Amino acid sequence: MNSASAPGAMQPASELESGPRSSSRGRVLAWASWDWGSAAFNAVMTTFVFTVYLTSSVFGGEDNASAVLGAALAVGGFAIALLAPVTGQRSDAGGRRKLWLGVNSAAVAILTGLCFFVFPRPEFLILGVSLIALGNVFFEFAGVNYNAMLAQVSTPQNIGKVSGFGWAAGYLGGIVALLVVLQLFVQPAFDWFGASTQDGLNIRLVAVFSALWFFVFALPVLFAVPELPRPAQASRLGFLASYGLLFRRIKAIYATSPHTIYFLLASAVFRDGLAAVFTFGGIIAAGTFGFALPQVIFFAIFGNVVAAIGAVIGGFLDDKVGPKAVITGSLAGLLVAGTAILVLGNGNYSFFGMQWAGSTTFWVFGLFLCLFVGPAQSSSRAYLARLAPHGESGELFGLYATTGRAVSFLAPALFTLCITLATPFVPAGEAQRWGILGIMVVLLAGLLVLLPVKPPEKAPIAVVPAH
């Protein structure tokens, strides 16, 4: 590792190397508890339940409601891209990483709980999408500090396993939360007041449940993991001055550790492809392979289990062979599985006298997709944590969020473009399958950009200016 110093610069040692020499199981469990709880916002509120409620006909028509929700999320995404690095920087400098994790997590819980007041009428649509969009903003801010704390609960020897364990906890937490929501509110197993669909009471109570779930499981990390020490010579900067420091640090990172910047750019591309696998997976299952809603949910549950298993396995491999090898192998696996789904489609085939149905294609290769998504996500976080200069993890993970948001249009745009281009040339109902090609192009581009990037053990730690 680079161990030179420079006047006015921080000692170029990673936060991980200067962190704890041993890893406490209790702190790791407390840290991963936040990931477990966050699934109530990710899986329940923004993916499978509440946004489906918001884009239903009761809010003025599916098309209009979807467009309004998309616009609100786009504004929220812009706010995240603009503010995430500076919020991370300021929590680092003030020694208040845990404080801001708590504040932002509380904000997410409150905004989620307020969704109870979104009644199923068109005049409540703006309130609903605004709460979800704001919740996304504060969730990303919390995630910046949460990811930065990875170096505080792990060591260079187990950071891959710890990161993988956190991702696995998130996947499994999503399964449990969804099962509770289905059994109590959506398809209640017994009659109780929360099962009432009048005025959307059951779905509005899902928001209350999600808020409580996230809040309760976010608490352990706030008690178990110590606050980041405040730098001895920390200076107070105005908000706008923080951007000046941010740009000076980006320039310094590029000058002294360019592969950190290269990884941020590469990961932004392939992470957009990873997100698209889950975003469009259910849509493809229903539209191309004819899965009914219960089948989609059933697949989602199995997919999350497989993704959790993949994250754990990837975490162990990360510590053995390094994060770049895990990410590269996972992206290659995703490309093979996605190509198989694209080529085979919903056709029926006979292999050695055995019948192979289209639904089998999706189950087999769809689960392979899920298996490889977890390791790629987990090792990306561990990769960056290894390169974060001492006391700078929050700012660097803020840039991680910003670069991801900056290219988040790629996979959806190419998914749509490939469907549009295929429509005139294929039978009716067959074009959606070609949207998979757009996702594969994004994953391939991310892989190609990643290949020249040095693994973290061969890249120097950036020398960054203190002010």
Side-chain angles (χ1 to χ4, degrees):
M1 288 292 183
N2 183 359
S3 58
S5 60
M10 302 183 69
Q11 184 68 22
S14 73
E15 186 165 316
L16 179 66
E17 291 176 325
S18 58
R21 296 298 90 196
S22 62
S23 185
S24 163
R25 181 177 297 179
R27 286 182 180 178
V28 171
L29 289 172
W31 177 78
S33 175
W34 190 93
D35 244 329
W36 174 283
S38 70
F41 185 77
N42 279 330
V44 177
M45 294 299 292
T46 65
T47 304
F48 291 111
V49 180
F50 200 80
T51 49
V52 174
Y53 167 69
L54 276 179
T55 53
S56 62
S57 59
V58 295
F59 285 95
E62 292 90 339
D63 292 342
N64 175 67
S66 297
V68 173
L69 176 63
L73 292 175
V75 172
F78 178 76
I80 292 164
L82 186 65
L83 299 172
V86 170
T87 58
Q89 174 200 111
R90 293 171 75 84
S91 64
D92 285 342
R96 295 179 175 179
R97 186 177 291 167
K98 185 171 72 171
L99 170 66
W100 286 111
L101 173 61
V103 169
N104 289 314
S105 297
V108 174
I110 291 169
L111 290 165
T112 301
L114 288 174
C115 288
F116 175 79
F117 298 102
V118 179
F119 291 86
R121 292 191 284 276
E123 59 266 29
F124 286 92
L125 175 62
I126 297 299
L127 173 63
V129 299
S130 298
L131 290 172
I132 291 294
L134 273 174
N136 268 291
V137 172
F138 284 105
F139 184 82
E140 288 286 350
F141 290 169
V144 166
N145 288 288
Y146 173 74
N147 288 333
M149 292 176 79
L150 174 60
Q152 295 174 247
V153 299
S154 61
T155 69
Q157 289 71 41
N158 71 358
I159 184 173
K161 288 192 286 287
V162 172
S163 182
F165 179 72
W167 274 108
Y171 288 128
L172 295 177
I175 295 170
V176 176
L178 280 171
L179 287 174
V180 172
V181 164
L182 284 171
Q183 291 297 306
L184 289 183
F185 304 102
V186 178
Q187 294 178 343
F190 55 91
D191 189 28
W192 70 297
F193 81 92
S196 172
T197 59
Q198 185 175 359
D199 265 344
L201 177 63
N202 60 330
I203 304 300
R204 292 189 293 119
L205 283 175
V206 165
V208 177
F209 164 81
S210 299
L212 292 173
W213 178 281
F214 182 39
F215 180 77
V216 169
F217 288 108
L219 289 176
V221 67
L222 303 179
F223 291 101
V225 181
E227 183 60 278
L228 183 74
R230 180 180 173 85
Q233 298 181 341
S235 57
R236 290 186 175 274
L237 289 178
F239 186 75
L240 293 179
S242 296
Y243 282 96
L245 177 59
L246 173 66
F247 292 128
R248 290 195 297 275
R249 284 180 169 169
I250 293 174
K251 184 178 179 181
I253 292 171
Y254 184 74
T256 59
S257 183
H259 285 268
T260 301
I261 300 296
Y262 300 156
F263 176 73
L264 285 170
L265 297 176
S267 72
V269 177
F270 70 69
R271 282 186 291 130
D272 188 46
L274 297 176
V277 170
F278 275 111
T279 301
F280 297 110
I283 295 171
I284 293 170
T288 298
F289 292 89
F291 281 33
L293 181 58
Q295 291 175 293
V296 172
I297 295 175
F298 195 49
F299 178 84
I301 291 171
F302 270 87
N304 274 332
V305 171
V306 171
I309 294 171
V312 171
I313 295 172
F316 279 94
L317 291 174
D318 185 302
D319 291 327
K320 299 294 183 183
V321 301
K324 182 182 177 182
V326 173
I327 298 169
T328 302
S330 297
L331 292 177
L334 285 161
L335 287 169
V336 171
T339 301
I341 294 175
L342 174 63
V343 172
L344 295 175
N346 196 27
N348 296 315
Y349 303 92
S350 178
F351 295 109
F352 305 105
M354 297 179 61
Q355 296 302 309
W356 182 283
S359 59
T360 305
T361 296
F362 191 80
W363 270 105
V364 171
F365 292 105
L367 290 179
F368 267 112
L369 285 173
C370 296
L371 179 69
F372 291 117
V373 166
Q377 291 175 320
S378 170
S379 287
S380 296
R381 176 165 65 185
Y383 191 118
L384 194 61
R386 286 177 168 95
L387 291 177
H390 178 74
E392 303 293 328
S393 287
E395 185 175 68
L396 201 57
F397 274 107
L399 288 171
Y400 188 66
T402 291
T403 53
R405 289 288 175 171
V407 302
S408 60
F409 66 91
L410 278 177
L414 286 176
F415 180 82
T416 303
L417 177 63
C418 287
I419 293 174
T420 303
L421 293 176
T423 298
F425 302 102
V426 299
E430 290 286 325
Q432 189 195 64
R433 169 163 60 112
W434 290 93
I436 300 169
L437 178 61
I439 300 174
M440 294 301 103
V441 168
V442 174
L443 291 171
L444 177 60
L447 175 60
L448 294 176
V449 177
L450 176 68
L451 288 177
V453 180
K454 290 181 179 179
E457 64 271 14
K458 294 183 179 179
I461 303 300
V463 181
V464 297
H467 50 75

